[in-house]
Amino acid sequence: MKTDACPRVLVFDSGVGGLSVAASVIRHLPGTELVYLADNAGFPYGDQPESVVVERCCRLISDSLAQFPCDVIIVACNTASTVVLPHLRAMTAIPVVGVVPAIKPAAAVTRNGRIGLLATPATVRRPYLDNLVDEFAGHCQVERIGHPDLVRWVEESVSGTDVPRKDLADAVAGFHRAGVDTVVLGCTHYPLLLEALRDVLPDVEFWVDSGDAIARRVAFLLDEQGKSGEASRDNRASEQPVRAALFSGPAPEGVAAFMAALGLSPMAVCANWPAQACPATTAASV
Ligand code: DGL
């Protein structure tokens, strides 16, 4: 088990989208150490059957915990969270935090009662989303867009490829037509697209994601364990808050610089993990 004072949090996604959540966690809890785990060999989860997502998440998270014991696990992927949380909670006693599209806060801020929900095709069609809308936004008009390409554009932007603005504008044109004043970023990749989204939807007033709510939940769960992720004299914010960035496929070109720009400099980036060992996983270093 990890014994030092600095709490460690595992952040899991199918690709780089969970970095938007990791950045929120580090902003709120700069004394926390993160392990970032991306199943990019299985990306995109929006195209995978539920059983495949469940099997891959559980296996990779279990392998990661064996090498990097953690205090809290974040499934920083809406698509995976819709199906995997009960399985993970049955597998481990470590608290698991999932992500759901921020429909409730969006319903609280919208002025005109028209909300756009942007998510992956899988998230948009899962019944739990209907329940969220019925429960929290019954009085609103909710326009849903589940587009297959947005996550891919974000992954490509890591190596410096520009997001195709015209295609993005076409993808979200339904929000413009519906006159939404609030958009829920219902996939953790999308906060990384925010600048481009603002450009193509200049009339949207409120952009809502789940990052800050997750960070607050993590703070609560650490506190319950008598731990604090806030920086202190003995538990300072690290220059490199990510202990290891583990990718089940090839490491995306430019990912260390991309992470650094988000305040998430990694100590190690490991490709084809766990088939290929990560240098940061030697017993002495964990
Ligand atoms: N970041 C994931 C999410 O929040 C992306 C899903 C995918 O891989 O399709 O849903």
Side-chain angles (χ1 to χ4, degrees):
M1 276 299 285
K2 198 172 78 61
T3 52
D4 55 7
C6 177
R8 186 186 283 154
V9 173
L10 173 64
V11 182
F12 174 85
D13 185 30
S14 57
V16 297
L19 293 173
S20 68
V21 175
S24 295
V25 171
I26 284 298
R27 266 198 309 277
H28 284 258
L29 302 167
T32 304
E33 180 176 273
L34 303 182
V35 171
Y36 191 76
L37 172 59
D39 183 14
N40 62 333
F43 175 88
Y45 275 4
D47 290 353
Q48 302 276 15
E50 289 186 22
S51 57
V52 172
V53 172
V54 169
E55 189 279 322
R56 295 189 69 95
C57 287
C58 290
R59 179 166 43 81
L60 281 167
I61 289 174
S62 164
D63 287 348
S64 166
L65 292 173
Q67 299 190 38
F68 293 99
C70 286
D71 302 302
V72 174
I73 300 164
I74 305 174
V75 179
C77 175
N78 291 264
T79 312
S81 293
T82 58
V83 291
V84 81
L85 300 181
H87 300 272
L88 279 177
R89 289 178 177 138
M91 182 185 95
T92 174
I94 299 167
V96 180
V97 181
V99 193
V100 292
I103 298 284
K104 187 179 176 185
V109 296
T110 177
R111 287 187 223 268
N112 68 5
R114 286 180 236 152
I115 297 172
L117 170 67
L118 192 57
T120 65
T123 299
V124 158
R125 64 173 178 261
R126 292 216 167 112
Y128 96 122
L129 196 66
D130 299 325
N131 299 338
L132 270 182
V133 171
D134 290 349
E135 190 173 347
F136 299 115
H139 56 295
C140 297
Q141 177 192 327
V142 180
E143 179 76 19
R144 303 178 191 196
I145 295 179
H147 198 281
D149 291 335
L150 270 66
V151 283
R152 194 168 46 77
W153 294 335
V154 174
E155 293 289 321
E156 289 168 359
S157 74
V158 173
S159 60
T161 304
D162 286 337
V163 175
R165 294 291 159 117
K166 169 79 175 70
D167 294 341
L168 182 64
D170 290 347
V172 296
F175 291 160
H176 183 65
R177 282 194 296 274
V180 307
D181 70 353
T182 302
V183 171
V184 177
L185 300 172
C187 166
T188 55
H189 278 71
Y190 300 165
L192 303 173
L193 266 186
L194 187 55
E195 203 188 309
L197 284 166
R198 281 190 205 275
D199 270 2
V200 299
L201 288 171
D203 296 337
V204 170
E205 265 187 273
F206 305 106
W207 297 90
V208 189
D209 68 55
S210 311
D212 289 341
I214 292 169
R216 285 194 296 274
R217 179 74 187 149
V218 170
F220 172 82
L221 292 168
L222 290 176
D223 191 54
E224 273 196 333
Q225 299 175 47
K227 297 179 179 178
S228 169
E230 286 163 27
S232 71
R233 198 160 54 83
D234 303 324
N235 186 14
R236 284 185 298 276
S238 166
E239 295 292 305
Q240 291 178 299
V242 179
R243 176 80 194 163
L246 309 170
F247 292 88
S248 63
E253 194 193 320
V255 75
F258 188 83
M259 291 177 70
L262 295 168
L264 297 169
S265 286
M267 291 173 74
V269 174
C270 304
N272 303 313
W273 187 88
Q276 214 166 290
C278 176
T281 61
T282 56
S285 67
V286 297

